[in-house]
Amino acid sequence: MIPYGRQDITQADINALIEVLQSDFLTQGPKVPLFEQTVASKVGARHALAVNSATSALHIACLALDLGKNDWLWTTPVTFVASANCGLYCGAQVDFVDIDPRTYNLCPKQLESKLVEAERKGKLPKVLVAVHLCGQPCDMQAIHALSQRFDFKVIEDASHAIGGKYQGEYIGNGRYSDITVFSFHPVKIITTAEGGMALTNDDALAERMNLGRSHGVTRDQNLMTHDPDGPWYYQQVALGYNYRMTELQAALGISQMERLDAFITRRHELAKRYDELLQNLPVITPWQHPDSYSGLHLYVIRLELDKLNKSHRQVFEQLREQGIGVNLHYIPVHTQPYYREMGFQPADFPHAMSYYSEAISLPMFQGLTNQQQDQVIQALSAVLEKATA
């Protein structure tokens, strides 16, 4: 089976882990801050805080922005559930903004219309989570302008997008957002096995996220209520969580970062080959906005179902039967039973549902060979040839 995504582990990565295993530090030591510094320097952010998952990063980001009861968090329905759940963790209410039918990201025009209506009702969001689906950045300049006009905070969920760029600058630099989140899950562009990171240029937000990831405990005397009792002293000054990244994860991340640009370059080579080899098939290939240089975590096609005599599900299943590990990113969050109980209906976000009815994620990872990619194309061609009406 050719998977849709796969980690790329070298001997250098393994050696980095062995070095940590033979050191004095396994949990908290020098590798975690070095990994943070490595990523922050790469993307041009002032602060980076490594955590045990991107979900944790989203949670502490929301906490740092004071999201709470009676507040609203908005995001896109086409994302993993964590982009919305982080609001629920804080006691806030969640709503969605439909997607742009070309980029599949949250649509700024629909966002503006919804903000105007929400302002009239007194229900403006406190936080917007803008998800860079597949690695392509949202229209952050437009979103930032709306955040200034309607007074909400912006989190970039860039779980798919490390190494990508927006308007020629690395995603994560915080030019148009308050906080950016990266994911280092094994199928992402670089991996720490599990792990995530929150980046910001705001000193106060960084301080709050630092407390949030480690029980709310500090040894910083400037944050304490009184002088320490001795050199052993610490204080819990907030309610936090155990979201810390380990030395092992950080060491792997540092090693992986050395190959980030090469990973992105290879993904673009594969995407270009897909674009060329799929052009005569009844599918829609990904459209890239001229302002973006995608991280290309995913390569999503949409079936032109009006030209086929097979269903979306049939095409998907037949590709799996031929050893092509296709996937679907994502089932719209508002259709999940937990969210349906809140009153959401599938028809609430028609562009998201149209996307869901046609989308298939083809294998995309830096270790994918041209021969394997040819196998994907051959299998897809065979399935679609038989399905052509």
Short mmCIF file of all heavy atoms in Angstrom, two decimals, residues 126-179:
data_model
loop_
_atom_site.label_atom_id
_atom_site.label_comp_id
_atom_site.label_asym_id
_atom_site.label_seq_id
_atom_site.Cartn_x
_atom_site.Cartn_y
_atom_site.Cartn_z
N LYS A 126 -14.39 36.33 19.24
CA LYS A 126 -13.21 36.84 19.92
C LYS A 126 -11.94 36.33 19.25
O LYS A 126 -10.91 36.99 19.24
CB LYS A 126 -13.22 36.42 21.39
CG LYS A 126 -12.12 37.07 22.21
CD LYS A 126 -12.34 36.86 23.69
CE LYS A 126 -11.38 37.70 24.52
NZ LYS A 126 -11.67 37.57 25.98
N VAL A 127 -12.04 35.11 18.69
CA VAL A 127 -10.90 34.47 18.04
C VAL A 127 -11.34 33.84 16.73
O VAL A 127 -12.41 33.21 16.68
CB VAL A 127 -10.28 33.38 18.96
CG1 VAL A 127 -9.21 32.59 18.21
CG2 VAL A 127 -9.69 34.00 20.22
N LEU A 128 -10.52 34.00 15.71
CA LEU A 128 -10.71 33.30 14.44
C LEU A 128 -9.52 32.38 14.23
O LEU A 128 -8.37 32.82 14.32
CB LEU A 128 -10.80 34.28 13.28
CG LEU A 128 -10.95 33.61 11.90
CD1 LEU A 128 -12.40 33.21 11.65
CD2 LEU A 128 -10.45 34.51 10.78
N VAL A 129 -9.78 31.10 13.96
CA VAL A 129 -8.72 30.15 13.62
C VAL A 129 -8.73 29.98 12.10
O VAL A 129 -9.66 29.38 11.54
CB VAL A 129 -8.91 28.81 14.33
CG1 VAL A 129 -7.83 27.81 13.90
CG2 VAL A 129 -8.88 29.00 15.84
N ALA A 130 -7.70 30.51 11.46
CA ALA A 130 -7.58 30.44 10.00
C ALA A 130 -6.69 29.25 9.66
O ALA A 130 -5.50 29.24 9.98
CB ALA A 130 -6.97 31.73 9.46
N VAL A 131 -7.26 28.23 9.03
CA VAL A 131 -6.55 26.98 8.75
C VAL A 131 -5.97 27.01 7.34
O VAL A 131 -6.69 27.23 6.37
CB VAL A 131 -7.50 25.78 8.90
CG1 VAL A 131 -6.77 24.47 8.60
CG2 VAL A 131 -8.11 25.74 10.30
N HIS A 132 -4.68 26.76 7.25
CA HIS A 132 -4.00 26.71 5.96
C HIS A 132 -4.11 25.29 5.40
O HIS A 132 -3.17 24.49 5.49
CB HIS A 132 -2.54 27.12 6.09
CG HIS A 132 -2.33 28.50 6.67
ND1 HIS A 132 -3.25 29.52 6.51
CD2 HIS A 132 -1.31 29.02 7.38
CE1 HIS A 132 -2.78 30.61 7.11
NE2 HIS A 132 -1.61 30.33 7.64
N LEU A 133 -5.26 24.97 4.82
CA LEU A 133 -5.54 23.61 4.39
C LEU A 133 -4.56 23.16 3.30
O LEU A 133 -4.29 23.90 2.35
CB LEU A 133 -6.97 23.51 3.86
CG LEU A 133 -7.46 22.09 3.59
CD1 LEU A 133 -7.68 21.34 4.89
CD2 LEU A 133 -8.72 22.09 2.75
N CYS A 134 -4.05 21.97 3.46
CA CYS A 134 -3.10 21.34 2.54
C CYS A 134 -1.73 22.01 2.54
O CYS A 134 -0.81 21.55 1.87
CB CYS A 134 -3.64 21.30 1.10
SG CYS A 134 -5.25 20.52 0.93
N GLY A 135 -1.59 23.10 3.28
CA GLY A 135 -0.34 23.84 3.29
C GLY A 135 -0.42 25.18 2.59
O GLY A 135 0.51 25.98 2.68
N GLN A 136 -1.54 25.44 1.89
CA GLN A 136 -1.71 26.72 1.21
C GLN A 136 -2.25 27.76 2.21
O GLN A 136 -3.28 27.54 2.83
CB GLN A 136 -2.68 26.61 0.04
CG GLN A 136 -2.92 27.95 -0.63
CD GLN A 136 -3.61 27.88 -1.98
OE1 GLN A 136 -3.50 28.79 -2.78
NE2 GLN A 136 -4.35 26.81 -2.23
N PRO A 137 -1.55 28.89 2.37
CA PRO A 137 -2.01 29.88 3.34
C PRO A 137 -3.33 30.52 2.94
O PRO A 137 -3.63 30.69 1.76
CB PRO A 137 -0.88 30.90 3.35
CG PRO A 137 -0.20 30.76 2.03
CD PRO A 137 -0.32 29.30 1.68
N CYS A 138 -4.09 30.87 3.95
CA CYS A 138 -5.30 31.66 3.75
C CYS A 138 -4.92 33.06 3.24
O CYS A 138 -3.75 33.45 3.26
CB CYS A 138 -6.07 31.79 5.05
SG CYS A 138 -6.71 30.26 5.73
N ASP A 139 -5.92 33.81 2.84
CA ASP A 139 -5.71 35.21 2.46
C ASP A 139 -5.56 36.02 3.75
O ASP A 139 -6.48 36.67 4.22
CB ASP A 139 -6.89 35.71 1.63
CG ASP A 139 -6.68 37.12 1.08
OD1 ASP A 139 -5.73 37.79 1.52
OD2 ASP A 139 -7.48 37.54 0.22
N MET A 140 -4.35 35.96 4.31
CA MET A 140 -4.14 36.52 5.65
C MET A 140 -4.21 38.04 5.67
O MET A 140 -4.61 38.62 6.68
CB MET A 140 -2.80 36.04 6.21
CG MET A 140 -2.75 34.55 6.52
SD MET A 140 -4.11 33.99 7.58
CE MET A 140 -3.87 35.03 9.02
N GLN A 141 -3.84 38.69 4.60
CA GLN A 141 -3.91 40.15 4.60
C GLN A 141 -5.36 40.60 4.72
O GLN A 141 -5.68 41.53 5.48
CB GLN A 141 -3.28 40.71 3.32
CG GLN A 141 -3.14 42.22 3.33
CD GLN A 141 -2.30 42.74 2.17
OE1 GLN A 141 -1.91 41.99 1.28
NE2 GLN A 141 -2.01 44.03 2.18
N ALA A 142 -6.26 39.94 3.99
CA ALA A 142 -7.68 40.29 4.06
C ALA A 142 -8.25 39.94 5.43
O ALA A 142 -9.03 40.71 6.01
CB ALA A 142 -8.45 39.55 2.97
N ILE A 143 -7.85 38.79 5.97
CA ILE A 143 -8.34 38.37 7.30
C ILE A 143 -7.85 39.34 8.37
O ILE A 143 -8.60 39.73 9.27
CB ILE A 143 -7.91 36.93 7.59
CG1 ILE A 143 -8.70 35.96 6.70
CG2 ILE A 143 -8.09 36.58 9.06
CD1 ILE A 143 -8.22 34.53 6.73
N HIS A 144 -6.59 39.75 8.27
CA HIS A 144 -6.04 40.69 9.24
C HIS A 144 -6.78 42.02 9.20
O HIS A 144 -7.10 42.61 10.25
CB HIS A 144 -4.55 40.91 8.97
CG HIS A 144 -3.91 41.90 9.89
ND1 HIS A 144 -3.70 43.22 9.52
CD2 HIS A 144 -3.46 41.79 11.16
CE1 HIS A 144 -3.13 43.86 10.52
NE2 HIS A 144 -2.98 43.02 11.53
N ALA A 145 -7.09 42.49 8.00
CA ALA A 145 -7.82 43.75 7.87
C ALA A 145 -9.19 43.65 8.55
O ALA A 145 -9.64 44.59 9.24
CB ALA A 145 -7.97 44.13 6.40
N LEU A 146 -9.85 42.51 8.39
CA LEU A 146 -11.14 42.31 9.04
C LEU A 146 -11.00 42.22 10.56
O LEU A 146 -11.87 42.68 11.31
CB LEU A 146 -11.81 41.05 8.49
CG LEU A 146 -12.31 41.15 7.03
CD1 LEU A 146 -12.71 39.78 6.51
CD2 LEU A 146 -13.47 42.14 6.91
N SER A 147 -9.89 41.63 11.02
CA SER A 147 -9.68 41.53 12.47
C SER A 147 -9.51 42.91 13.09
O SER A 147 -9.93 43.14 14.23
CB SER A 147 -8.46 40.66 12.77
OG SER A 147 -7.24 41.34 12.52
N GLN A 148 -8.90 43.84 12.35
CA GLN A 148 -8.74 45.20 12.85
C GLN A 148 -10.09 45.94 12.84
O GLN A 148 -10.40 46.70 13.77
CB GLN A 148 -7.74 45.95 11.97
CG GLN A 148 -6.34 45.35 11.95
CD GLN A 148 -5.70 45.33 13.33
OE1 GLN A 148 -5.45 46.38 13.92
NE2 GLN A 148 -5.44 44.15 13.84
N ARG A 149 -10.87 45.68 11.84
CA ARG A 149 -12.17 46.36 11.70
C ARG A 149 -13.17 45.85 12.72
O ARG A 149 -13.94 46.65 13.30
CB ARG A 149 -12.70 46.13 10.28
CG ARG A 149 -14.08 46.68 9.99
CD ARG A 149 -14.45 46.39 8.55
NE ARG A 149 -15.87 46.53 8.30
CZ ARG A 149 -16.47 46.14 7.17
NH1 ARG A 149 -15.74 45.61 6.18
NH2 ARG A 149 -17.76 46.29 7.02
N PHE A 150 -13.16 44.53 12.99
CA PHE A 150 -14.18 43.95 13.87
C PHE A 150 -13.61 43.50 15.23
O PHE A 150 -14.33 42.89 16.02
CB PHE A 150 -14.86 42.77 13.17
CG PHE A 150 -15.72 43.17 12.01
CD1 PHE A 150 -15.23 43.12 10.71
CD2 PHE A 150 -17.02 43.61 12.20
CE1 PHE A 150 -16.03 43.49 9.63
CE2 PHE A 150 -17.82 43.98 11.14
CZ PHE A 150 -17.32 43.93 9.84
N ASP A 151 -12.34 43.77 15.46
CA ASP A 151 -11.72 43.57 16.78
C ASP A 151 -11.78 42.12 17.25
O ASP A 151 -12.36 41.80 18.29
CB ASP A 151 -12.38 44.48 17.82
CG ASP A 151 -11.60 44.51 19.14
OD1 ASP A 151 -10.37 44.29 19.09
OD2 ASP A 151 -12.22 44.74 20.19
N PHE A 152 -11.17 41.22 16.49
CA PHE A 152 -10.99 39.85 16.96
C PHE A 152 -9.53 39.45 16.77
O PHE A 152 -8.78 40.08 16.02
CB PHE A 152 -11.93 38.87 16.24
CG PHE A 152 -11.78 38.82 14.74
CD1 PHE A 152 -10.83 38.00 14.13
CD2 PHE A 152 -12.60 39.59 13.91
CE1 PHE A 152 -10.70 37.95 12.74
CE2 PHE A 152 -12.49 39.54 12.53
CZ PHE A 152 -11.54 38.72 11.94
N LYS A 153 -9.13 38.40 17.48
CA LYS A 153 -7.76 37.89 17.41
C LYS A 153 -7.68 36.77 16.37
O LYS A 153 -8.67 36.08 16.11
CB LYS A 153 -7.31 37.38 18.78
CG LYS A 153 -7.35 38.43 19.87
CD LYS A 153 -6.40 39.59 19.59
CE LYS A 153 -6.37 40.58 20.74
NZ LYS A 153 -5.46 41.72 20.47
N VAL A 154 -6.48 36.58 15.82
CA VAL A 154 -6.30 35.60 14.76
C VAL A 154 -5.24 34.58 15.14
O VAL A 154 -4.11 34.94 15.50
CB VAL A 154 -5.90 36.28 13.43
CG1 VAL A 154 -5.66 35.22 12.34
CG2 VAL A 154 -6.96 37.27 12.99
N ILE A 155 -5.62 33.31 15.07
CA ILE A 155 -4.68 32.19 15.18
C ILE A 155 -4.56 31.56 13.80
O ILE A 155 -5.57 31.20 13.19
CB ILE A 155 -5.16 31.14 16.19
CG1 ILE A 155 -5.28 31.73 17.60
CG2 ILE A 155 -4.22 29.93 16.20
CD1 ILE A 155 -5.93 30.79 18.60
N GLU A 156 -3.34 31.44 13.31
CA GLU A 156 -3.11 30.68 12.08
C GLU A 156 -2.88 29.22 12.46
O GLU A 156 -1.89 28.90 13.12
CB GLU A 156 -1.88 31.19 11.35
CG GLU A 156 -2.00 32.59 10.76
CD GLU A 156 -0.73 33.00 10.04
OE1 GLU A 156 -0.44 32.45 8.95
OE2 GLU A 156 0.01 33.86 10.58
N ASP A 157 -3.78 28.35 12.06
CA ASP A 157 -3.56 26.92 12.21
C ASP A 157 -2.77 26.48 10.98
O ASP A 157 -3.34 26.13 9.95
CB ASP A 157 -4.88 26.17 12.33
CG ASP A 157 -4.68 24.68 12.62
OD1 ASP A 157 -3.54 24.19 12.41
OD2 ASP A 157 -5.64 24.00 13.02
N ALA A 158 -1.45 26.52 11.13
CA ALA A 158 -0.54 26.18 10.03
C ALA A 158 0.01 24.77 10.21
O ALA A 158 1.16 24.50 9.87
CB ALA A 158 0.59 27.21 9.96
N SER A 159 -0.83 23.89 10.74
CA SER A 159 -0.41 22.50 10.97
C SER A 159 0.09 21.84 9.69
O SER A 159 0.92 20.93 9.74
CB SER A 159 -1.57 21.70 11.55
OG SER A 159 -1.91 22.16 12.84
N HIS A 160 -0.42 22.29 8.54
CA HIS A 160 -0.04 21.72 7.25
C HIS A 160 1.05 22.52 6.54
O HIS A 160 1.41 22.16 5.41
CB HIS A 160 -1.25 21.69 6.31
CG HIS A 160 -2.37 20.82 6.74
ND1 HIS A 160 -3.51 20.63 5.97
CD2 HIS A 160 -2.55 20.06 7.85
CE1 HIS A 160 -4.34 19.82 6.59
NE2 HIS A 160 -3.79 19.47 7.74
N ALA A 161 1.55 23.57 7.14
CA ALA A 161 2.17 24.61 6.31
C ALA A 161 3.59 25.02 6.65
O ALA A 161 4.11 25.96 6.06
CB ALA A 161 1.27 25.85 6.33
N ILE A 162 4.27 24.36 7.61
CA ILE A 162 5.63 24.78 7.90
C ILE A 162 6.50 24.67 6.64
O ILE A 162 6.41 23.68 5.90
CB ILE A 162 6.25 23.98 9.06
CG1 ILE A 162 7.58 24.62 9.49
CG2 ILE A 162 6.42 22.51 8.73
CD1 ILE A 162 8.14 24.06 10.79
N GLY A 163 7.29 25.69 6.39
CA GLY A 163 8.12 25.72 5.19
C GLY A 163 7.47 26.40 4.01
O GLY A 163 8.13 26.71 3.02
N GLY A 164 6.14 26.62 4.11
CA GLY A 164 5.45 27.36 3.07
C GLY A 164 5.61 28.86 3.26
O GLY A 164 6.12 29.32 4.29
N LYS A 165 5.16 29.61 2.27
CA LYS A 165 5.32 31.06 2.33
C LYS A 165 4.02 31.77 1.92
O LYS A 165 3.22 31.22 1.17
CB LYS A 165 6.46 31.52 1.40
CG LYS A 165 7.82 31.00 1.79
CD LYS A 165 8.91 31.47 0.83
CE LYS A 165 10.27 30.92 1.23
NZ LYS A 165 11.34 31.36 0.29
N TYR A 166 3.87 32.97 2.45
CA TYR A 166 2.77 33.85 2.06
C TYR A 166 3.36 35.20 1.70
O TYR A 166 4.11 35.78 2.48
CB TYR A 166 1.77 34.00 3.21
CG TYR A 166 0.64 34.97 2.93
CD1 TYR A 166 -0.31 34.68 1.96
CD2 TYR A 166 0.53 36.17 3.62
CE1 TYR A 166 -1.35 35.57 1.69
CE2 TYR A 166 -0.50 37.06 3.37
CZ TYR A 166 -1.44 36.75 2.40
OH TYR A 166 -2.46 37.63 2.12
N GLN A 167 3.06 35.65 0.49
CA GLN A 167 3.60 36.91 -0.02
C GLN A 167 5.12 36.95 0.10
O GLN A 167 5.72 37.97 0.42
CB GLN A 167 2.96 38.10 0.69
CG GLN A 167 1.47 38.23 0.44
CD GLN A 167 0.84 39.41 1.14
OE1 GLN A 167 1.41 40.01 2.05
NE2 GLN A 167 -0.37 39.78 0.72
N GLY A 168 5.75 35.80 -0.16
CA GLY A 168 7.20 35.71 -0.20
C GLY A 168 7.87 35.55 1.15
O GLY A 168 9.11 35.43 1.21
N GLU A 169 7.11 35.51 2.25
CA GLU A 169 7.68 35.37 3.59
C GLU A 169 7.19 34.07 4.23
O GLU A 169 6.06 33.63 3.99
CB GLU A 169 7.29 36.55 4.47
CG GLU A 169 7.81 37.89 3.96
CD GLU A 169 7.42 39.05 4.86
OE1 GLU A 169 6.37 38.96 5.53
OE2 GLU A 169 8.16 40.04 4.88
N TYR A 170 8.02 33.48 5.07
CA TYR A 170 7.67 32.20 5.68
C TYR A 170 6.41 32.32 6.54
O TYR A 170 6.25 33.28 7.31
CB TYR A 170 8.81 31.67 6.55
CG TYR A 170 9.89 30.97 5.75
CD1 TYR A 170 11.14 31.54 5.59
CD2 TYR A 170 9.64 29.73 5.16
CE1 TYR A 170 12.14 30.90 4.85
CE2 TYR A 170 10.62 29.08 4.42
CZ TYR A 170 11.86 29.67 4.27
OH TYR A 170 12.84 29.03 3.54
N ILE A 171 5.54 31.34 6.40
CA ILE A 171 4.38 31.23 7.27
C ILE A 171 4.88 31.01 8.70
O ILE A 171 5.78 30.21 8.94
CB ILE A 171 3.50 30.06 6.82
CG1 ILE A 171 2.92 30.34 5.43
CG2 ILE A 171 2.39 29.78 7.83
CD1 ILE A 171 2.30 29.12 4.75
N GLY A 172 4.30 31.76 9.63
CA GLY A 172 4.72 31.68 11.02
C GLY A 172 5.37 32.94 11.52
O GLY A 172 5.66 33.06 12.71
N ASN A 173 5.60 33.91 10.62
CA ASN A 173 6.28 35.14 11.05
C ASN A 173 5.36 36.09 11.80
O ASN A 173 5.82 37.07 12.40
CB ASN A 173 6.94 35.85 9.87
CG ASN A 173 5.96 36.45 8.88
OD1 ASN A 173 4.74 36.33 9.05
ND2 ASN A 173 6.46 37.06 7.83
N GLY A 174 4.05 35.82 11.79
CA GLY A 174 3.12 36.60 12.59
C GLY A 174 2.78 37.98 12.07
O GLY A 174 2.21 38.79 12.79
N ARG A 175 3.08 38.23 10.80
CA ARG A 175 2.78 39.56 10.25
C ARG A 175 1.28 39.87 10.30
O ARG A 175 0.88 41.02 10.53
CB ARG A 175 3.29 39.67 8.82
CG ARG A 175 3.06 41.04 8.18
CD ARG A 175 3.64 41.12 6.79
NE ARG A 175 5.08 40.96 6.80
CZ ARG A 175 5.95 41.95 7.05
NH1 ARG A 175 5.50 43.15 7.36
NH2 ARG A 175 7.24 41.73 7.01
N TYR A 176 0.45 38.85 10.07
CA TYR A 176 -0.99 39.09 9.99
C TYR A 176 -1.78 38.31 11.04
O TYR A 176 -2.99 38.11 10.87
CB TYR A 176 -1.48 38.73 8.59
CG TYR A 176 -0.91 39.60 7.49
CD1 TYR A 176 -0.09 39.05 6.51
CD2 TYR A 176 -1.20 40.97 7.44
CE1 TYR A 176 0.44 39.86 5.49
CE2 TYR A 176 -0.67 41.77 6.44
CZ TYR A 176 0.14 41.21 5.47
OH TYR A 176 0.66 42.01 4.47
N SER A 177 -1.14 37.85 12.09
CA SER A 177 -1.85 37.08 13.11
C SER A 177 -1.23 37.30 14.47
O SER A 177 -0.13 37.85 14.59
CB SER A 177 -1.83 35.59 12.76
OG SER A 177 -0.50 35.08 12.81
N ASP A 178 -1.92 36.84 15.49
CA ASP A 178 -1.42 36.93 16.86
C ASP A 178 -0.56 35.72 17.23
O ASP A 178 0.46 35.85 17.91
CB ASP A 178 -2.60 37.05 17.83
CG ASP A 178 -3.41 38.30 17.57
OD1 ASP A 178 -3.00 39.37 18.03
OD2 ASP A 178 -4.44 38.21 16.87
N ILE A 179 -1.00 34.54 16.78
CA ILE A 179 -0.32 33.29 17.10
C ILE A 179 -0.40 32.37 15.89
O ILE A 179 -1.43 32.33 15.20
CB ILE A 179 -0.95 32.60 18.33
CG1 ILE A 179 -0.85 33.50 19.57
CG2 ILE A 179 -0.30 31.24 18.61
CD1 ILE A 179 -1.67 33.01 20.76
#
